[in-house]
Amino acid sequence: MKSDCIFCKIANKEIKSEIVYEDKDMLAFKDIDPKAPVHFLFIPKKHITTLNDILPEDGALLGNMFLKMKETALKHGISSDGYRIVANCNKNGGQAVLHLHFHLLGGRSLAWPPG
Ligand code: 5GP
Ligand code: ZN
């Protein structure tokens, strides 16, 4: 728990969010400013600042997060049409919140690369 981190506060239920999945290690909630009909954020409950900060011992956690993202995509009906999982890193990656998170986006066509 990093006391000035907004996603730690969400994980700690100090800030309300619309939770779509939770277990002891991770939380998934609706993005407050959705970019697609389905836009969820998956975060580890422990504070990891960026992708640069993941450690070998985080491998199982990250693997479980991907399994849960896949299951959540299926549950919300976006598996067969497809979806995108995004993790932004630092300034050039466009990371606004410095607590590692994965965007799960679907429910519309997601053109790439951006114009
Ligand atoms: P980033 O740009 O860091 O990859 O993405 C941060 C995401 O967090 C953005 O899509 C933004 O809309 C979302 N976000 C920021 N603050 C909050 C919040 O307080 N609650 C929720 N649910 N989402 C947030
Ligand atoms: Zn945090």
Side-chain angles (χ1 to χ4, degrees):
M1 169 84 196
K2 192 166 175 286
S3 60
D4 61 346
C5 170
I6 188 170
F7 282 2
C8 281
K9 287 182 181 165
I10 285 176
N12 220 24
K13 315 284 169 60
E14 289 169 43
I15 293 177
K16 255 187 71 185
S17 67
E18 284 190 66
I19 295 170
V20 295
Y21 176 75
E22 177 171 20
D23 64 27
K24 68 178 183 20
D25 298 317
M26 74 181 94
L27 187 73
F29 52 96
K30 293 185 182 179
D31 195 291
I32 204 168
D33 181 19
K35 309 298 189 298
V38 173
H39 188 173
F40 302 149
L41 300 172
F42 283 74
I43 65 169
K45 285 191 172 176
K46 77 162 182 171
H47 183 86
I48 300 173
T49 306
T50 77
L51 280 175
N52 290 336
D53 303 299
I54 61 175
L55 299 170
E57 64 248 38
D58 297 321
L61 166 65
L62 294 167
N64 286 333
M65 290 182 76
F66 274 88
L67 284 170
K68 199 46 70 176
M69 287 191 272
K70 178 201 79 167
E71 286 173 21
T72 304
L74 183 63
K75 188 173 162 193
H76 289 265
I78 60 170
S79 286
S80 57
D81 280 349
Y83 51 88
R84 179 177 296 152
I85 291 170
V86 175
N88 299 321
C89 181
N90 277 338
K91 181 168 56 75
N92 281 1
Q95 184 177 7
V97 178
L98 290 172
H99 178 129
L100 178 65
H101 52 280
F102 296 98
H103 298 255
L104 173 63
L105 297 141
R108 69 167 172 85
S109 173
L110 296 151
W112 188 263

